[in-house]
Amino acid sequence: MSKLLEVKDLKTSFKTHIGDVQSVRGVSFHLEKGEALGVVGESGCGKSVTMMTIMRLLGENAKINVEKIIFDDKDITKPTEKLMQTIRGNDMSMIFQDPMTSLNPLFTVGDQLTEHLIKHKKISKKEANEKAIKMLDMVGIPSPEKRLKQYPHEFSGGQRQRINVARALAMNPKVIVCDEPVSALDVSIQAQVLNLFNRLQQQYNLTYIFISHDLGVIKHVSDRIAIMYLGRIVELCEADAIYE
């Protein structure tokens, strides 16, 4: 396997909207093509901040200092916003924790699946709709042609997260960051969505970064595991070695 992402000595300080300061202190790791890297740790240890820093999704008040970030042979250590706009969605996608708030309640599922296809792939609305129907069918949404016209509130929590998975996969990204994507779902639905992630990875050779504080979830989906504590990676090795 070849390196798809390499991060060296990442430091970030970020103040949240409620005034808490979250920080990452000297994080280094790499991601191989086709693997699933689990990132586990307690709440506030810097898991999400690390990934949002790499994708430049933090606010302007974030202080970022990093020696090197190489993604797919591109140097994004100090990227322009124009470069990140071409990478986000196209090459790196993110599935967020809450499937309801990450979908816009005012737009149909079809509109939210096709918008970035039309913008980035430069295809027609008809072609984008056909692609969206295929994606919904792939993630197990029944009657996708009909449901394309429905709004997020007309779906269950598990179905909404499946829609988020379909949206993340639609652009054929090289890396998908999954930020606790099953923590808002009940246990039976969690198992269905995790099995979906595993099936899609095997079918399409996907590369995941899977963030969670649940060791059971991480064990189910990861090839290697990074354990974070107080803003640092304190252990990084094969999943089997961690659990032994």
Side-chain angles (χ1 to χ4, degrees):
M1 291 191 293
S2 59
K3 285 184 183 179
L4 190 56
L5 175 66
E6 184 178 6
V7 179
K8 188 172 182 180
D9 198 19
L10 173 64
K11 302 181 181 74
T12 302
S13 178
F14 174 64
K15 184 176 286 188
T16 68
H17 66 284
I18 59 173
D20 293 338
V21 176
Q22 295 191 359
S23 63
V24 172
R25 303 181 294 163
V27 165
S28 300
F29 69 93
H30 74 273
L31 181 67
E32 303 282 351
K33 186 175 181 180
E35 80 164 336
L37 175 67
V39 182
V40 67
E42 63 187 12
S43 297
C45 70
K47 305 184 299 294
S48 298
V49 171
T50 297
M51 301 310 155
M52 293 182 76
T53 300
I54 294 169
M55 296 184 70
R56 295 304 195 272
L57 289 174
L58 295 176
E60 294 181 357
N61 64 336
K63 296 179 180 179
I64 300 170
N65 186 2
V66 59
E67 181 176 331
K68 180 174 67 174
I69 303 178
I70 305 295
F71 171 68
D72 195 29
D73 296 326
K74 300 185 186 77
D75 189 338
I76 59 170
T77 306
K78 295 182 179 179
T80 63
E81 180 57 24
K82 184 177 181 180
L83 174 60
M84 290 310 300
Q85 285 179 0
T86 63
I87 290 175
R88 284 192 299 259
N90 282 320
D91 298 323
M92 297 181 74
S93 288
M94 196 163 190
I95 301 170
F96 294 95
Q97 180 174 352
D98 189 338
M100 190 60 190
T101 58
S102 54
L103 292 171
N104 192 321
L106 301 179
F107 293 91
T108 65
V109 164
D111 285 339
Q112 295 183 65
L113 284 171
T114 59
E115 180 182 21
H116 59 309
L117 285 169
I118 294 169
K119 179 179 179 181
H120 292 288
K121 296 295 186 184
K122 309 297 183 185
I123 60 177
S124 67
K125 178 71 172 177
K126 181 181 178 182
E127 290 173 314
N129 277 330
E130 290 172 354
K131 173 78 170 179
I133 289 169
K134 289 180 181 178
M135 299 308 296
L136 289 181
D137 183 59
M138 184 179 74
V139 298
I141 299 292
S143 305
E145 298 91 342
K146 175 185 175 182
R147 310 219 71 179
L148 208 62
K149 301 174 185 177
Q150 295 181 320
Y151 291 84
H153 72 271
E154 298 179 81
F155 295 82
S156 69
Q159 287 175 327
R160 286 194 290 266
Q161 198 61 297
R162 287 171 183 266
I163 292 166
N164 281 320
V165 173
R167 185 169 62 173
L169 291 174
M171 301 295 291
N172 301 316
K174 295 180 173 70
V175 173
I176 301 174
V177 178
C178 307
D179 189 1
E180 302 201 37
V182 297
S183 62
L185 308 176
D186 64 53
V187 174
S188 60
I189 302 301
Q190 280 186 13
Q192 293 176 20
V193 175
L194 290 173
N195 288 334
L196 172 67
F197 279 121
N198 284 337
R199 176 172 63 81
L200 294 175
Q201 185 186 26
Q202 293 169 6
Q203 285 182 335
Y204 301 101
N205 195 32
L206 300 177
T207 305
Y208 291 136
I209 297 176
F210 209 101
I211 300 170
S212 181
H213 58 263
D214 188 325
L215 288 169
V217 167
I218 286 293
K219 183 178 181 180
H220 192 71
V221 297
S222 304
D223 300 309
R224 287 189 302 139
I225 296 175
I227 298 177
M228 292 193 69
Y229 180 68
L230 296 179
R232 298 180 186 274
I233 291 179
V234 295
E235 189 166 4
L236 175 58
C237 64
E238 298 295 320
D240 290 343
I242 292 283
Y243 284 93
E244 284 174 6

